[in-house]
Structures are given as C-alpha cells and as structure tokens.
Amino acid sequence: MSDTRIDRRFAALQAANRPALVTFVTAGDPDLATSQAILDALPAAGADVIELGMPFSDPMAEGMPVQLANQRALAAGQTMDKTLDMVRAFRRHDQDTPIVLMGYYNPIYVRDPAVFVKMAVEAGVDGLIIVDIPPEADDELCLPAMAAGLNFIRLTTPTTDDKRLPAVLANTSGFVYYVSVTGITGATIANRDRVTEAVRRIKRHTSLPVAVGFGVKTAEDAEVIGRDADGVVVGSVLVEAVRTSLGGEGRATDATVEAVASVVRSLAEGVARARG
Amino acid sequence: MTIQQNTFRSGPDERGHFGIFGGRYVAETLMPLILDLEQAYKDAKADPAFQAEIDNLNTHYTGRPSPLYFAERLTAELGGAKIYFKRDELNHTGSHKINNCLGQILLARRMGKTRIIAETGAGQHGVATATVCARFGLPCVVYMGATDVERQKPNVFRMKLLGAEIVPVTAGAGTLKDAMNEALRDWVTNVADTYYLIGTAAGPHPYPEMVRDFQSVIGTETREQILQAEGRLPDALVAAVGGGSNAIGLFHPFLDDPQVAIYGVEAGGKGLEGEEHCASLNAGKPGVLHGNRTYLLQDDDGQILEGHSISAGLDYPGIGPEHSWLRDTGRVTYVPATDNEAMEAFQLLTRVEGIIPALEPAHALAQVMKLAPTMYKDQIIVMNLCGRGDKDVFTVGKLLGFDL
C-alpha cells in the first residue's frame, strides 16, 4: 500500500472522525492570477482535498456552471502547462493539502500520457480523475499514473452495479468518488437516502474512503452527506461564486477570491457538523 | 488486436478498436449502458426476425433498393470515366440517414427503451430520427446547434411537424459537436428509459460498427447493381465524409477488392491552409472525443477546434474511427473539396442531370469532377448521392445572390 498525501489526509480525518471537504475549482478561471489566488486560499477556508479542473473545450459530463468555467479559463488563455505551474506555485507554501487534477483525456493524450504523468508528479500533483477513460482502458493512463506514484481516482455511479463495481475499483486508489446522481455536475440530489445506501454498498467492496459529489450545494447538504461519506465534493457552487463575482467584461474583481473562500468556509462548517 | 491481416473487413475487435482507433471513452455512468447496447446488438444480429423486419421496412417504407443511375450527360460533360450515382437521395426522408435510423429504432424497441434522443447537424439525421419515432410512436428529442437551426430552417420545421422536440444548443459555435455534447449530457441524465440514436459511424463502440452495418446496405446493393449493369466492379468509389456514415456504408463491402480505388471527400471549407475547414483526416491528428479515438481538429494543447463548412452535415471536427484506420492503412484515400468546389458541383449536377444534390454529396461530386477526366472512358466511378438538396436551396440561394 502506497502512502500518498491523499492517503495521509484521509487517515488523519478519519482519526478525527470528520469527513473531508473536497473542493473543485477550474484552473485559470477567471484568469490565471485570480485562479492561483483562489487555489492558494482554499486550505485556510477549510478545503481538505483540492480538485483542480483542467479546462477542456468539450466537457461532456459538466452542467452549465462548470461548462462556463471551462470557457472562461480557455478564453483567458489557460493551458496544461499553466495548470501544472499553478500546482507548482501552490506546493511552495503547502506541502500537505492533496491536489487532484480532474478533467478529460484528450489534453493528456495529445502530449503522451507517460510524459504528462511525469510532469504532473514533478509539479506536485497527487492524483487524477479523468472522466472519460473507463477501467477497460486502464493500460493507457491509469496504470502508468499509478506506477509513477499518483493516485487514480475512479468515478462510480448509480449505474455501476455490484457486478461491475469490482472491475471499477480494481485499479482505484486514494479514494472512490461516488457520483450521487445519473446526470451532469450541478444536478440536484433527489434522494439522500439512496446516496447513503450507495455509499454503504461501495464500502462493502473496498476499504478506500468514499467521497460523494455531483449535487452538493449547501452546508446542510454537506452535513447530511458527510454523515456516511468519507468526503463531500463541491464544485458547481464554487465556480458559480466565481461567475457572480465578476465585473464588467467578465473580469475578476476584488471580491472574487473572497466570494469562493466564503462559500468554502460555510461548507466546511457543514462538514464539521456532520458527525457532531 | 484480432483484426486479420488479409482483410479490411473484420474490424472492430472485441474492445471496439480499429487499429488504435475507436474504443469506448465515456463516463462511467454510460459504460453499463454501452455494454448493454453491445449485447443487445449482438443478440439482434443473430436473430433472423430482426434482419427480416429491417429488410421489410427498407423495401416498403424507405423504397430500397435505391437505383444505381448512369449519369450519361455528366459523363459526356467531364469526358472521362463512366459515372454512376447510387441514388440514396431518393430514399424516404431524402438521404441515407433513414437506413441507420430504422435499424436503431428497432433495436431501441427490442431493448424496451421509451424515449429517443439524437443529435443533428444538417438536420437530415434529425429528420430521419423524428420520422422513425413518428412511425413507431416514440417521443423524440433532437439536439441541434443554434447556428445549424438557423441555416437549416426547412429541416427544423419538418422535425417539428413530425412531432420532435428541437433543442437548440448555444454552447461553442453551436454546430454538430456541441449538439453531440448536449445529447450525451441528456443520455447520462436519463439512463433508464432513453436510447441515444447516434447518426454517424462514430461515438463509443458499438456505434461505429452498428451504424456501418445498417448503412452497408448501400454498398451491398451497389455491388449487385454494378455487376448487373457492367458485369464488373467499379474502378473507383467516391463519397463525402463528415462523420462518415454514408461513405463507410458504400465502401465497406468493397474494402477487400484491391482493384477498386476508394476516395473519401472531406469538407475543405475555405482551404486547408487556414482553420476554416473540417478536414480532420487531412489536417487533424489522433485524439479522443465523443467516446472514440479518431482524427480530430485540435490545437497543440488538445482543445478541439471548431470546423467550418458550407455544409452543416460535414461541419464536425472528428470522423468515424474506421475511416481513421482506413486512412492510416492507406486503403482509402481522403481528399478535401472546398466550399467553392462544392458549390460549382452543386450547380453542374443540377443543370446537366436535373438532380439537385445536397451540399454534402456535392463535395463528393467535386472530387468526381477532378477524377473522371483523368480516367479512361471504359472505366467506372460510382459516387454515393447520399442526400437531396431541397434543404440547401436557401443557403445556395443566398450565396448566389438570390433573395428567397
């Protein structure tokens, strides 16, 4: 069993009987400097694990908030190199908070998965979540990433039944990301009981922590989901906080970083109450 | 890889690959559905009643076989090889798209699905999908880029008449790629009851294989018809490629006949030197999008580029994975035709043969116009005339300066 930043962070939270707050923001949204400031502000606001979105032109699994965040980042000139630079800059002052890069396969494929994995490790990345590469294609990216010491975090969904679950979990490490709804990011969780049931079902198949995402919007959601899940993932509400803070011509304002941080603080309070 | 060395017709392998292309690159939510679909399609293929039902509908609903027509005046005009058209524009709904839609709607019914979604570019696939949904009494939602909704108004109205709901997609440039993203988002949200009826030979396995199989009726008929007409196989086949479904349908039954040269014609837009074209095989590079690995128009950072074509049906930055493989193996030659060349071809065919083609096959015709004069008079070209031009008269009218 490897010992990564992600493993250590979940172990520490488990010892403290508290679920992790996993925060997603899109790299380069709304511009590189502001995005770096948001990233740097996340741990102090209460983020335990950070998912940093790698912008893509065709984010098929995203709802409108994250789609728009991707468009803002690309319009501002974000590239993979700049995203890795952000992680590098973050690592200069934070050696403990895990960063997981999340996105789509093509921007990785075009620069060669082996080269990308090496660059990510070197920049201080801890794990990958790649939406559109299923376990059937593990040899392309998952196995090289794990060999290089990265965690490969897999999405499981309501359609991943008990028969398929072992195959999905086989090469998963770090934590399991349970997608609480069949749908896109930013959807609404219709039935929290069913999420609880699903988390318990996954835990029968793995000893990895299980984080729940897609549809967590409020501190109350975070509190309720956090009772059973080892982590609560929030993304769409954070990129919406970016969007609503923007000024004329979609430019960042003095309020942008604080807008995101204050939502994270409120969610962190919800998470802290989960096992209270 | 289990593709045999001595044939071009045995793909894909069990994981849906044609060489390095194809595969199943989708979100986990969709994986179980795609595996189900693959099994359902295997079962259907093995059931003679399924094929019999398709054959029956092809004959009595679509009007197959479509004629193979010797274009005598065009042949004389170009002064070289004999030119035949496979008249798939005479099908019910006006294009080859119905071939695939009938096959897939029967499969959706076998699977017990009660709601159909589709993406469309020019609207031909949307119309064909709305048509089979009306025929079988299933609700139909069609995603269409907002730009395409604007430039293909007649088809939008036809779909509405047929009872489909049209959802204009404003993301990106509002063309086919964006419509496909939105259809995938719908599918991932409505997994229990919804069948995604993909219109081209692309997407995650088994779609490229399945669409090819349903479209191969084009090539199978052509083979019989040309043998009857000429007593031999053609020297060249020509078809337009957007996603590539009409082309693979014509080509596939001929892939193992080395004496038949095969040409796929991409949308060259305003020329390959700039970015305003959709020639993914000539100017793109391999990547992963919409569930498959294939040639894509993309920048150095892996961001997908917006293509451009006068023809909404060719306006897609990717291509079916089997075409990517046929390109790399050299079996098929892919060439571009520009907007202007297609416009010229459109007008020539209309004047000389009294056939108004869609702008998509007009691209194929542009290649025929280059090819035929270089060939001997006893040589034979078969071109797939895969759609009729009624839907394009407004676009063409505007370009020619007519106020319609």
Side-chain angles (χ1 to χ4, degrees):
Chain A
M1 194 66 203
S2 65
D3 181 39
T4 65
R5 257 188 215 109
I6 296 173
D7 298 332
R8 289 194 292 275
R9 177 54 54 103
F10 274 100
L13 289 167
Q14 205 159 17
N17 191 28
R18 184 166 79 73
L21 178 62
V22 183
T23 58
F24 171 95
V25 292
T26 298
D29 171 32
D31 61 73
L32 184 57
T34 309
S35 184
Q36 183 78 55
I38 291 170
L39 178 66
D40 292 346
L42 288 173
D48 299 303
V49 177
I50 295 170
E51 288 178 9
L52 187 60
M54 300 175 280
F56 184 47
S57 53
D58 293 79
M60 277 94 67
E62 314 301 342
M64 200 44 88
V66 181
Q67 284 180 48
L68 291 173
N70 276 268
Q71 286 178 21
R72 288 193 296 270
L74 291 173
Q78 189 69 8
T79 62
M80 185 69 86
D81 286 338
K82 288 180 184 173
T83 299
L84 292 172
D85 284 344
M86 285 177 66
V87 179
R88 221 170 268 126
F90 178 88
R91 279 279 165 260
R92 283 202 278 274
H93 58 82
D94 188 322
Q95 282 297 319
D96 302 316
T97 308
I99 295 188
V100 176
L101 293 182
M102 182 166 185
Y104 295 80
Y105 185 33
N106 196 55
I108 294 173
Y109 177 74
V110 290
R111 72 174 60 210
D112 188 320
V115 172
F116 168 79
V117 161
K118 202 165 157 260
M119 290 168 70
V121 170
E122 181 271 323
V125 171
D126 303 292
L128 300 177
I129 301 176
I130 307 303
V131 177
D132 56 350
I133 189 156
E136 282 78 356
D138 269 356
D139 51 338
E140 290 193 39
L141 178 63
C142 171
L143 298 182
M146 284 174 64
L150 292 175
N151 285 131
F152 202 82
I153 294 123
R154 198 89 63 179
L155 304 179
T156 68
T157 71
T159 58
T160 315
D161 58 19
D162 281 326
K163 206 176 109 208
R164 182 168 166 79
L165 204 45
V168 173
L169 295 174
N171 289 321
T172 300
S173 67
F175 63 96
V176 179
Y177 187 140
Y178 179 66
V179 176
S180 65
V181 293
T182 56
I184 51 182
T185 52
T188 302
I189 297 178
N191 189 337
R192 283 178 185 147
D193 293 340
R194 204 169 288 166
V195 174
T196 305
E197 222 171 275
V199 168
R200 291 183 184 156
R201 182 167 68 89
I202 294 166
K203 282 178 165 291
R204 285 199 292 275
H205 290 268
T206 179
S207 57
L208 289 170
V210 178
V212 173
F214 282 44
V216 180
K217 290 193 169 75
T218 63
E220 195 216 345
D221 289 336
E223 181 184 341
V224 175
I225 298 289
R227 282 179 199 148
D228 292 278
D230 303 300
V232 178
V233 190
V234 286
S236 293
V237 289
L238 303 185
V239 298
E240 274 299 272
V242 171
R243 186 181 66 81
T244 52
S245 76
L246 300 178
E249 292 174 6
R251 295 233 173 83
T253 62
D254 292 345
T256 299
V257 176
E258 175 52 26
V260 178
S262 76
V263 178
V264 173
R265 278 195 295 272
S266 144
L267 290 160
E269 284 165 19
V271 166
R273 286 196 299 267
R275 313 261 171 91
Chain B
M1 275 302 303
T2 54
I3 291 179
Q4 297 158 36
Q5 291 301 309
N6 57 351
T7 174
F8 287 97
R9 303 183 65 225
S10 67
D13 68 12
E14 67 283 354
R15 286 169 70 193
H17 288 105
F18 302 91
I20 67 162
F21 300 104
R24 284 181 286 231
Y25 298 89
V26 296
E28 173 59 23
T29 309
L30 293 179
M31 266 316 282
L33 279 75
I34 281 170
L35 295 172
D36 275 356
L37 177 63
E38 186 187 2
Q39 190 56 49
Y41 180 54
K42 264 187 200 156
D43 295 346
K45 261 202 297 195
D47 179 359
F50 181 73
Q51 190 56 50
E53 199 173 359
I54 293 178
D55 290 346
N56 184 50
L57 286 162
N58 276 346
T59 305
H60 301 288
Y61 192 66
T62 306
R64 302 208 73 92
S66 66
L68 183 70
Y69 167 73
F70 173 50
E72 195 179 343
R73 289 198 66 215
L74 184 70
T75 298
E77 175 87 17
L78 296 177
K82 294 176 79 170
I83 297 158
Y84 282 85
F85 292 128
K86 180 61 174 165
R87 302 285 307 272
D88 255 51
E89 102 279 14
L90 294 177
N91 293 341
H92 179 44
T93 75
S95 81
H96 68 289
K97 292 293 186 185
I98 190 80
N99 304 330
N100 166 50
C101 288
L102 282 171
Q104 287 201 55
I105 197 102
L106 292 178
L107 187 61
R109 273 177 18 125
R110 277 177 75 102
M111 295 176 75
K113 302 292 182 183
T114 55
R115 175 176 176 266
I116 305 294
I117 59 170
E119 83 295 334
T120 196
Q124 294 301 89
H125 173 59
V127 166
T129 304
T131 297
V132 298
C133 286
R135 167 66 182 76
F136 288 96
L138 291 171
C140 176
V141 177
V142 178
Y143 291 92
M144 188 168 186
T147 306
D148 291 339
V149 168
E150 193 51 39
R151 61 179 166 172
Q152 301 289 337
K153 278 182 189 155
N155 272 346
V156 172
F157 184 57
R158 287 164 81 197
M159 287 185 272
K160 284 184 180 163
L161 283 174
L162 290 159
E165 181 193 339
I166 315 301
V167 183
V169 179
T170 51
T175 59
L176 185 51
K177 143 178 116 81
D178 311 296
M180 201 151 180
N181 288 334
E182 210 55 35
L184 283 164
R185 291 182 188 118
D186 180 313
W187 199 24
V188 88
T189 306
N190 301 290
V191 292
D193 62 346
T194 297
Y195 182 95
Y196 182 13
L197 208 165
I198 294 183
T200 195
H205 178 63
Y207 283 102
E209 176 189 10
M210 190 164 68
V211 175
R212 176 199 73 198
D213 291 350
F214 292 138
Q215 292 294 0
S216 288
V217 66
I218 300 170
T220 305
E221 287 175 5
T222 299
R223 225 182 143 85
E224 277 173 32
Q225 290 167 321
I226 197 72
L227 285 173
Q228 200 164 19
E230 294 280 351
R232 66 180 187 89
L233 295 180
D235 298 283
L237 298 174
V238 182
V241 289
S245 72
N246 91 82
I248 202 71
L250 175 66
F251 299 168
H252 196 257
F254 293 92
L255 289 176
D256 286 338
D257 300 294
Q259 71 273 35
V260 181
I262 306 182
Y263 299 89
V265 186
E266 298 193 289
K270 295 177 179 169
L272 263 49
E273 53 284 351
E275 280 188 0
E276 290 190 72
H277 60 78
C278 285
S280 44
L281 289 171
N282 278 288
K285 59 187 174 187
V288 175
L289 180 72
H290 293 154
N292 57 174
R293 176 165 25 236
T294 193
Y295 276 86
L296 298 171
L297 298 178
Q298 55 183 319
D299 68 15
D300 290 340
D301 218 40
Q303 307 296 340
I304 311 303
L305 300 173
E306 301 288 350
H308 159 83
S309 172
I310 189 177
S311 144
L314 304 181
D315 207 341
Y316 181 68
I319 176 86
E322 193 164 9
H323 286 293
S324 291
W325 179 70
L326 290 168
R327 171 205 186 274
D328 279 9
T329 56
R331 176 62 188 98
V332 177
T333 305
Y334 294 89
V335 295
T338 64
D339 287 353
N340 288 340
E341 289 170 333
M343 276 290 288
E344 217 174 283
F346 177 97
Q347 294 172 80
L348 177 70
L349 187 64
T350 304
R351 278 197 319 269
V352 173
E353 292 287 347
I355 299 172
I356 302 179
L359 282 170
E360 292 79 18
H363 285 73
L365 187 62
Q367 172 63 13
V368 169
M369 287 164 66
K370 293 175 200 167
L371 195 60
T374 69
M375 293 168 68
Y376 296 113
K377 289 190 173 179
D378 60 351
Q379 290 189 295
I380 301 162
I381 298 175
V382 175
M383 187 199 104
N384 197 12
L385 192 44
C386 62
R388 57 180 174 239
D390 310 37
K391 69 181 174 64
D392 292 316
V393 294
F394 293 95
T395 305
V396 172
K398 201 185 275 179
L399 286 164
L400 295 179
F402 286 89
D403 186 16
L404 297 178

